[in-house]
Amino acid sequence: MKGMLRRKTLILTVAVLIIVAISVSAAQGKYQFALVSRALAGVCAPFNALFMKSAVWTKGKTSAAGDIMSAYRDNQRLTAEVASLRDANLKSAEIWAENERLRQLLDYKRQQPAFQLLAATVVGRESGQVAGAVLIDRGRRHGVEKDMPVVTAQGLVGTVAQVYDSSAQVQLLLHPRSAAGGIVQRAASRAIGVVSGNTGDPFSPQLQNLARDADVIEGDVIVTSGFGGLYPKGIAIGVVREVRNAEGGLLKYALLAPTVDFNRLEEVMLITNARQLRPEAEPVKPGEGPAGKVPS
C-alpha cells in the first residue's frame, strides 16, 4: 500500500516538473508546444476570468468610493455657499428695512419745518407683555432734556421721563400714567379730550373726558391738541375704533388704535424745539396797502 502511494507521488512530482519545464521553455520562446499551451490555457482560463472579474469589481468599487467622496465634497461646498448667500440675503434685507425707516424719518423731518428733531435709536425696553418705556441712545450730552416729546414718522411715541449722560428713558403713550391732549381732526367735530394709557387693553389708549354729546365717531383721527404746552399741535395719535359711555356720569370715552406700532420701535426722533410757523403773507398788489385796501 505504501509502495503504491510512493509511486503515485513520484509520478505526480515528475509530471509537475515536466509541465514547469515546458512552461519555462515556452515562455522563453525556445519550443512551441501548441497542445501543451492549449492545455495550460484551458487550466488557467477560470483563474484568469476570476482575476479579471475581481479587478473589474475592485476598480468599480474604488471608482464608486471616489464618486461618493467627490459628491460629499461638492455637497459640503454647496451647503457653505447656500449658508453664505442666506446670510448675505438677511443682511441685505436688514439694511433695506433700516434704510426705509430712516427714509421715512427724513421725509417727516422735511415735512415738519417747525420742529427741530434729534434722531435716536431704541437700545432697550421694559420686559413684560407691554413695554411702558424704552431706552434710547441719546442723553444729556446730546442736548436731551426731560419732558421732550418723542415721535416717529407715524405719530406720537411718548415723552422723555429720565435723562442720563448718554441715554434717556422714554415713557410711552401706552403707559397708564401718560397723558396727552387730543383733538378730533375732523373739521365738523374738533372734540377735545385727554389721551392716556389703558390698563384694561394696553395696546388701545383712551381718549377720555369727552362730553356725552361730543361728536366723536368710529374712524375719527385723533391728533395732539397743543393744550398744556408739552406736545406741539397736530401730531398723529390714533384712530377711534370704538366709543363707549362712561359709567355713572355724563361723559364718554373712545378707544384708539395707535398710529405708531409700539412693538416695532427701532428709531425715534426727539422734538428738541418747536415754533409756530407764521402763514406766508400774500403779495401786495400795486396800489394796495398791507390790508388789501387802496390807501386814501
Side-chain angles (χ1 to χ4, degrees), residues 1-9:
M1 186 70 179
K2 292 182 178 179
M4 293 179 63
L5 183 61
R6 289 194 188 97
R7 285 195 295 270
K8 288 182 180 180
T9 303

Side-chain angles (χ1 to χ4, degrees), residues 120-123 134-138 160 166-170 268 270:
T121 301
V122 176
V123 294
V134 296
L135 189 70
I136 60 174
D137 63 348
R138 294 290 184 269
V160 175
S166 301
S167 60
Q169 185 186 59
V170 177
V268 297
L270 294 87

Side-chain angles (χ1 to χ4, degrees), residues 86-241:
R86 185 183 294 113
D87 183 61
N89 184 58
L90 290 175
K91 290 180 179 179
S92 297
E94 182 65 20
I95 292 173
W96 183 89
E98 183 180 7
N99 288 341
E100 180 64 18
R101 295 193 305 269
L102 295 177
R103 184 190 62 78
Q104 292 178 2
L105 292 178
L106 182 60
D107 289 344
Y108 180 80
K109 187 174 183 179
R110 290 171 178 169
Q111 295 168 8
Q112 301 293 336
F115 298 162
Q116 291 183 7
L117 298 168
L118 174 65
T121 301
V122 176
V123 294
R125 62 174 59 231
E126 284 185 347
S127 60
Q129 184 178 2
V130 178
V134 296
L135 189 70
I136 60 174
D137 63 348
R138 294 290 184 269
R140 190 175 296 108
R141 67 186 184 90
H142 303 98
V144 177
E145 297 179 1
K146 191 174 183 296
D147 294 332
M148 278 185 174
V150 182
V151 298
T152 67
Q154 287 69 45
L156 184 64
V157 172
T159 184
V160 175
Q162 297 288 337
V163 183
Y164 311 105
D165 185 50
S166 301
S167 60
Q169 185 186 59
V170 177
Q171 180 174 290
L172 303 180
L173 184 66
L174 301 178
H175 197 285
R177 291 195 297 271
S178 68
I183 185 170
V184 177
Q185 193 178 49
R186 181 164 47 91
S189 171
R190 308 301 287 176
I192 296 174
V194 177
V195 178
S196 62
N198 182 2
T199 56
D201 187 353
F203 288 102
S204 184
Q206 299 177 349
L207 177 63
Q208 299 177 325
N209 299 338
L210 295 171
R212 185 65 64 91
D213 60 350
D215 182 12
V216 181
I217 59 176
E218 182 179 342
D220 276 340
V221 177
I222 308 301
V223 299
T224 52
S225 64
F227 299 154
L230 183 59
Y231 300 102
K233 186 177 182 179
I235 302 173
I237 295 177
V239 178
V240 175
R241 65 179 184 87

